[in-house]
Amino acid sequence: MKEVIQGVVETLREGNPCVLATVVRTKGSTPQKAGAMLLVRDDGSGLGTLGGGCVEGDIWFAAKEMLRQESGPEFKDYYLNEDIAARDGLVCGGTMYFYLEPLRSLDDFLPLGDEILEAYDGGEPVALATVVNSPGRPERLGAKLLLRADGTVSGTLGTQELDEPALETAVRIAHIGNTESISTEDGTEIFVEGFTTPPTLVMVGGGHVGKATADLARFLGYRIFIVDDRPEFSNEERFPYAEQTIVTPYDQWSDHLSVNVNSYVVVATRGHRYDDMALESALKTRARYIGLLGSRRKTLMIYRRLMEQGITKERIKEVYAPVGLNIGGLTPEEIAVSIMSEVVMVRRGGDGGRMTMGDWYIDRAASIVERAVEV
């Protein structure tokens, strides 16, 4: 959502008001998830998306009314029933919860906006907590608290009882750029957003699987770094989209990169001996995910040597090996899908299971059709 935040800052610097609409929570199947943003300017133009269709249209209208009436922030929910979903061509039927915040001057958003943009551009991660719903206490709505990586805090949500859970959540999600919603006993809802660099794939090994995996990761929005000890497999011609292509011995690759916790390392070199060194180097980093391509037999041999070198069993258990989800992939491209599926699962908090509906759903649909025929 960097472009939307940048749009807000630019709009306010031009002296124009705007409304920032954010999806703060969802339930069921929805066209967008928490964290999606839409900027609506005073001239009717916009930036970003909340999923399209009538949902976005209604939020857009509400935002323009806010600017016209000079009203304050609002919390809205939107139930996507089957009729609405079908009318808009949406394959969904859940509930979306929105926070709409009018911004009329730089003081409303700066220096928060500048710090968020700095985090996106490689600075220290930050997390922003906002009171987005406060039944019976409208004066709390819009209160903000910003947590920086060094532990310093700006702002408050109004009370220590609100600040404490917000800070605990912010510490947990800031470095990975996730979002989380907190609800208190009195119905107050706090939305916490983490802001950091885009997710980064470090592909250690630029061979066939490495190339296919990097290609797919780039399509998914990941920054790409390529590592290989052969210049013909790590160069700008082979990986024109890579932020950096590094040629170095595998046992030293992590000395050449600053790997943060929003990074995902995949080791897929050309042989057991190189995988061994590359994995040992990877284990020195703070990467959230480290995957190793290869057979179980090869993996166990590598694990044994690493433990003999003093690497703890607990650290080795954090490695995803053999890498990827079991989809039966054989070609480099299919293996890449398996690898990136697991990376996305780790990043988004999925479980890797099948999404097939049980017989109950099909039987229910059939019974509805049968009753309609009888009528």
Side-chain angles (χ1 to χ4, degrees):
M1 295 294 108
K2 177 183 176 181
E3 294 78 11
V4 177
I5 300 296
Q6 183 68 57
V8 171
V9 172
E10 292 174 355
T11 300
L12 293 175
R13 281 186 172 143
E14 292 167 357
N16 299 314
C18 59
V19 170
L20 181 60
T22 306
V23 179
V24 296
R25 183 161 50 92
T26 65
K27 187 188 327 182
S29 178
T30 58
Q32 280 282 13
K33 299 302 180 184
M37 295 178 182
L38 172 69
L39 163 65
V40 180
R41 303 185 182 93
D42 193 33
D43 63 4
S45 63
L47 184 64
T49 182
L50 301 176
C54 57
V55 179
E56 189 161 302
D58 286 0
I59 295 298
W60 202 299
F61 176 79
K64 289 191 291 186
E65 285 296 291
M66 270 186 176
L67 293 173
R68 185 179 67 84
Q69 298 176 7
E70 297 186 358
S71 57
E74 293 183 27
F75 177 83
K76 289 181 173 290
D77 58 11
Y78 204 106
Y79 174 59
L80 299 171
N81 60 34
E82 293 178 0
D83 291 338
I84 291 174
R87 186 174 74 235
D88 279 7
L90 303 173
V91 187
C92 54
T95 305
M96 302 181 75
Y97 301 85
F98 302 92
Y99 175 64
L100 283 70
E101 182 171 27
L103 303 166
R104 298 185 172 89
S105 72
L106 284 174
D107 292 340
D108 289 339
F109 199 67
L110 295 181
L112 296 179
D114 283 341
E115 292 202 47
I116 290 171
L117 290 175
E118 185 178 341
Y120 271 128
D121 288 336
E124 290 297 323
V126 298
L128 180 65
T130 305
V131 176
V132 297
N133 190 22
S134 185
R137 298 293 299 273
E139 71 277 4
R140 288 181 176 175
L141 201 62
K144 289 180 170 56
L145 181 153
L146 182 77
L147 173 71
R148 303 178 185 87
D150 62 5
T152 60
V153 175
S154 291
T156 178
L157 302 183
T159 67
Q160 185 176 353
E161 289 73 22
L162 295 178
D163 285 352
E164 286 183 353
L167 287 171
E168 290 175 4
T169 303
V171 168
R172 189 172 66 253
I173 71 173
H175 289 79
I176 53 178
N178 278 358
T179 66
E180 194 165 319
S181 183
I182 305 169
S183 295
T184 65
E185 292 183 358
D186 66 359
T188 300
E189 187 164 344
I190 303 164
F191 183 59
V192 188
E193 305 167 89
F195 300 98
T196 185
T197 56
T200 298
L201 173 73
V202 180
M203 191 69 235
V204 187
H208 297 306
V209 171
K211 179 69 165 63
T213 303
D215 288 348
L216 179 55
R218 180 223 182 186
F219 179 77
L220 295 174
Y222 288 68
R223 297 192 308 161
I224 309 298
F225 290 84
I226 304 297
V227 176
D228 204 294
D229 64 350
R230 301 162 294 176
E232 64 269 28
F233 284 91
S234 180
N235 58 70
E236 293 182 2
E237 290 72 29
R238 184 169 172 80
F239 298 95
Y241 49 78
E243 299 254 340
Q244 191 175 350
T245 54
I246 299 168
V247 179
T248 183
Y250 286 120
D251 61 342
Q252 301 172 19
W253 76 260
S254 63
D255 297 335
H256 299 271
L257 282 176
S258 177
V259 179
N260 65 19
V261 294
N262 201 27
S263 299
Y264 304 81
V265 176
V266 176
V267 174
T269 72
R270 63 187 183 279
H272 164 270
R273 181 163 60 94
Y274 301 104
D275 283 340
D276 193 331
M277 295 186 292
L279 179 60
E280 184 173 5
S281 189
L283 290 171
K284 299 175 184 177
T285 73
R286 298 186 297 151
R288 186 180 182 195
Y289 171 100
I290 299 173
L292 173 65
L293 180 69
S295 67
R296 287 184 172 85
R297 179 176 178 275
K298 182 188 80 170
T299 299
L300 289 174
M301 290 173 60
I302 291 174
Y303 284 178
R304 178 179 175 181
R305 194 198 73 82
L306 292 178
M307 284 188 279
E308 289 172 350
Q309 295 295 319
I311 296 177
T312 66
K313 178 176 66 176
E314 289 71 27
R315 179 58 171 150
I316 289 176
K317 284 182 178 180
E318 295 173 356
V319 177
Y320 290 79
V323 70
L325 299 184
N326 183 12
I327 62 172
L330 296 175
T331 68
E333 291 75 19
E334 290 172 343
I335 294 170
V337 170
S338 167
I339 292 171
M340 289 310 300
S341 294
E342 185 172 69
V343 168
V344 172
M345 178 195 73
V346 171
R347 181 184 172 213
R348 298 297 190 186
D351 61 13
R354 298 177 64 187
M355 298 178 68
T356 304
M357 294 187 298
D359 291 345
W360 180 88
Y361 294 94
I362 301 173
D363 293 341
R364 178 173 178 266
S367 66
I368 292 173
V369 173
E370 291 169 359
R371 287 198 300 270
V373 171
E374 291 173 357
V375 172

